[in-house]
Amino acid sequence: MVKENNTLFVIFGGSGDLAHRKLYPALFQLYLKGSLNEHFAVIGTARRPWSHEFFRAGVLENLSDGTVEQRETFVEHFYYQSHDVKDSAHYVALKRLIDELDAKYQINGNRLFYMAMAPALFGTIADHLRSERLLSTGGYNRLIIEKPFGHDYESALALNNAIVGTFDQDQVFRIDHYLGKEMVQNIPFIRFANPFLDAVWNRDYIDNIQITLAESLGVEERGGYYETAGALRDMVQNHIMQIIAMLAFPRPTKYADQEINQAKSQVFASLPVYTPAEVATKFVRGQYGQDIAGKQVAYRDEDKIEPTSTVETFVAGEVDLNLPQWQGVPFYVRTGKRLPTKKTRIDVVFKADTSQLFAAQQPVNPVLTIQVEPESGIELTLNGKEIGTSSLIEPHQSQYLLNADQQKQVPDAYERLLLEAVLGKQGNFAQWEGMAGSWHFVDAIRSAWAQEPTVDFPNYQSGTMGPKAADELLTKTGRHWIYQG
Ligand code: NAD
């Protein structure tokens, strides 16, 4: 029997894309599964003067699953409040609605504020929530925010300071939706629930770890935002860094939120701050050109993109953690737009046997692959013997992938993370210390690149795995990318 949670959700930016595409369907799943039942309400706020009915109709449009009756009963819990976040008077009206719904649904003061709008407005909202007394004194008050959390360390710090005047750190839930993915949450289980793997999860047995977040789409309609971000800020500072933390954090004393976050903070604290010379040898940036057939436009020809833009749509690099367990083990990371397929995977490359036991034969590096998406599962590549009478070594591969039925049971990242926020579980949310550490790491790379403004872009064709230099990062050390696209 799933326990119902009493919660009032206040969504700032309730008419926006994120709210409609991700948040409302995720809340509906929680409703269908019983985590939300009778004692909840959702207030969507935005500037437009919508009625509750109009708002509900828009929410309904994005719901599939369930019966018509379930969908209609669900959206009856939705209310709309026309609200300009900069206007103090509007918070008075919002407070009135919050109090009314709290009483109507017997929510007992549990409030979850979701800032689904531009981060520049986070501070204004947080200030008003405090000054206009929208926080409850009975239940909990929690805040959920989304990326982009700043564009460098200084702006992230300012954003953080703007929020912590109203919310304590343990009330702030910073969503990184990669932390809501099934196989990313699975990483600690694979590592720590298998003692034989835990025993070799270190510099003595692991040669390198490779993380690939490949996107097949281009910049699409997000050109305006992307020109201010680039792949390093859009994907590396947050998602890739969180995955590194999941792969590298030392064994916690207990599998509980606080212990996990403490263990992860050790990884973030151990991130290097590269010198420009190190950036030049350890990081590669790229920007897509047309595809071979000339059908897809180059980044510089996309909508809202400067024709001379030097914004990177591809990054590959080496992250060296300053932790004893990981001394000398490069974490190779790679992400880009317009790569051949959409794919997130992690390849843990173990050391090869160099004992010469098998004479002239060279065993391959054993590899543990964690498939994150679109497939979810684990693959293991080991050395074995060729079938028959020979003594030749050949790689054996075994694979565990979720089947279609299992995939259907996997909750969407937003569903999972919204539930965890409702339950007050911080283990799968980005913490400020980690964010600060990854911004310092990324800022050093950006600043080195800023000193080398003339780049030979575009330097990779759409539909390929990025610039040649990304392969050379590994081949110059005798390694190669396990995933070739
Ligand atoms: P959007 O432009 O679709 O929606 C923005 C919302 O904010 C709208 O409801 C708009 O009416 C409201 N708004 C803007 N100014 C306002 C004001 N002064 N007062 C009241 N309401 C105001 O944007 P979005 O795509 O939903 O993204 C919201 C935030 O989430 C952005 O910071 C974005 O970067 C981030 N984000 C979005 C996605 C996504 O999938 N859309 C994914 C990750 C992060």
Side-chain angles (χ1 to χ4, degrees):
M1 180 70 186
V2 177
K3 191 180 155 293
E4 177 191 6
N5 297 283
N6 299 13
T7 313
L8 179 68
F9 298 88
V10 182
I11 318 265
F12 293 98
S15 66
D17 174 70
L18 177 68
H20 278 89
R21 241 173 7 91
K22 298 287 185 187
L23 307 185
Y24 304 149
L27 290 175
F28 186 49
Q29 289 302 323
L30 295 181
Y31 177 75
L32 289 178
K33 291 172 187 169
S35 299
L36 299 176
N37 188 1
E38 288 178 16
H39 301 96
F40 81 98
V42 181
I43 302 177
T45 81
R47 280 173 299 188
R48 284 175 244 178
W50 287 356
S51 65
H52 298 317
E53 288 67 34
F54 186 83
F55 177 49
R56 287 171 190 163
V59 174
L60 260 181
E61 269 175 31
N62 286 282
L63 304 182
S64 45
D65 300 340
T67 62
V68 173
E69 197 191 335
Q70 282 171 318
R71 294 200 284 268
E72 284 177 351
T73 321
F74 171 72
V75 298
E76 278 169 20
H77 290 254
F78 279 65
Y79 296 81
Y80 184 78
Q81 180 71 44
S82 172
H83 180 96
D84 184 337
V85 298
K86 294 180 184 154
D87 188 334
S88 302
H90 287 191
Y91 289 85
V92 178
L94 181 58
K95 181 174 175 1
R96 212 176 299 128
L97 182 60
I98 289 176
D99 289 341
E100 183 191 319
L101 296 180
D102 191 297
K104 177 172 177 178
Y105 292 99
Q106 295 159 20
I107 289 170
N108 302 333
N110 291 336
R111 285 176 200 169
L112 221 153
F113 300 94
Y114 201 123
M115 296 194 187
M117 53 199 305
L121 299 168
F122 290 180
T124 308
I125 302 172
D127 286 348
H128 280 94
L129 291 180
R130 192 189 57 240
S131 67
E132 305 309 314
R133 300 208 303 272
L134 272 74
L135 302 179
S136 94
T137 47
Y140 61 71
N141 293 288
R142 294 183 187 138
L143 175 71
I144 305 189
I145 49 182
E146 272 275 348
K147 77 167 189 181
F149 200 82
H151 51 88
D152 57 12
Y153 171 72
E154 293 302 330
S155 57
L157 179 65
L159 208 49
N160 196 56
N161 289 342
I163 286 163
V164 296
T166 298
F167 293 93
D168 294 338
Q169 289 290 6
D170 64 356
Q171 295 177 302
V172 183
F173 292 74
R174 298 177 191 82
I175 287 214
D176 185 313
H177 71 280
Y178 274 75
L179 290 179
K181 291 185 188 286
E182 182 68 25
M183 289 310 294
V184 174
Q185 292 202 351
N186 206 338
I187 293 170
F189 291 82
I190 296 168
R191 290 180 54 192
F192 301 122
N194 299 297
F196 81 96
L197 265 187
D198 190 24
V200 297
W201 206 262
N202 55 49
R203 64 186 302 253
D204 294 335
Y205 290 94
I206 294 180
D207 180 82
N208 71 90
I209 294 185
Q210 305 177 8
I211 301 168
T212 301
L213 269 61
E215 298 180 285
S216 55
L217 293 178
V219 74
E220 308 296 298
E221 71 287 350
R222 290 171 73 225
Y225 158 72
Y226 205 80
E227 278 284 273
T228 67
L232 187 66
R233 287 194 269 225
D234 192 41
M235 301 294 277
V236 178
Q237 183 275 331
N238 35 48
H239 311 315
I240 286 184
M241 287 296 155
Q242 291 294 339
I243 293 176
I244 290 181
M246 292 296 266
L247 290 162
F249 72 76
R251 190 186 177 93
T253 48
K254 188 164 127 198
Y255 197 71
D257 295 338
Q258 201 180 350
E259 283 75 5
I260 293 169
N261 280 332
Q262 271 168 6
K264 280 193 211 167
S265 71
Q266 291 185 48
V267 178
F268 289 113
S270 80
L271 285 169
V273 174
Y274 289 143
T275 62
E278 285 170 325
V279 172
T281 57
K282 291 178 192 283
F283 264 80
V284 166
R285 53 184 158 157
Q287 189 190 77
Y288 62 80
Q290 287 190 301
D291 62 334
I292 195 163
K295 287 193 177 139
Q296 291 183 303
V297 295
Y299 178 75
R300 287 176 174 178
D301 296 326
E302 299 268 23
D303 193 24
K304 300 196 189 114
I305 304 298
E306 281 295 312
T308 55
S309 174
T310 57
V311 168
E312 79 286 356
T313 60
F314 177 97
V315 185
E318 170 183 338
V319 183
D320 305 315
L321 299 178
N322 192 13
L323 279 176
Q325 185 175 1
W326 297 113
Q327 280 310 316
V329 182
F331 284 68
Y332 292 113
V333 302
R334 177 174 55 161
T335 184
K337 291 194 177 293
R338 286 274 184 82
L339 304 188
T341 42
K342 181 171 169 61
K343 168 84 75 185
T344 300
R345 66 181 260 169
I346 298 157
D347 294 289
V348 180
V349 184
F350 290 89
K351 291 192 172 171
D353 173 50
T354 51
S355 67
Q356 302 290 313
L357 185 66
F358 298 100
Q361 292 187 72
Q362 184 62 53
V364 298
N365 293 79
V367 179
L368 172 72
T369 299
I370 300 173
Q371 297 275 12
V372 177
E373 63 186 3
E375 303 88 9
S376 304
I378 304 167
E379 288 170 21
L380 193 58
T381 308
L382 298 174
N383 291 290
K385 189 186 77 60
E386 196 182 72
I387 300 172
T389 53
S390 88
S391 304
L392 292 175
I393 292 174
E394 66 170 17
H396 292 339
Q397 206 184 38
S398 61
Q399 197 179 52
Y400 163 76
L401 291 182
L402 301 196
N403 62 32
D405 282 344
Q406 290 168 321
Q407 283 282 13
K408 276 196 206 129
Q409 294 167 35
V410 172
D412 170 72
Y414 280 90
E415 175 192 337
R416 202 190 300 258
L417 295 174
L418 275 169
L419 179 61
E420 290 177 14
V422 164
L423 297 173
K425 288 177 59 54
Q426 276 280 9
N428 289 311
F429 290 86
Q431 305 298 305
W432 166 246
E433 293 75 20
M435 212 161 245
S438 52
W439 271 124
H440 286 312
F441 175 77
V442 158
D443 284 352
I445 298 169
R446 288 222 72 80
S447 117
W449 284 351
Q451 290 167 31
E452 294 279 333
T454 43
V455 277
D456 188 19
F457 282 171
N459 62 352
Y460 71 98
Q461 239 172 20
S462 285
T464 68
M465 277 309 281
K468 243 207 221 101
D471 293 332
E472 287 159 9
L473 266 181
L474 277 73
T475 51
K476 72 185 178 195
T477 68
R479 300 178 172 109
H480 63 275
W481 290 104
I482 301 296
Y483 176 59
Q484 297 282 328

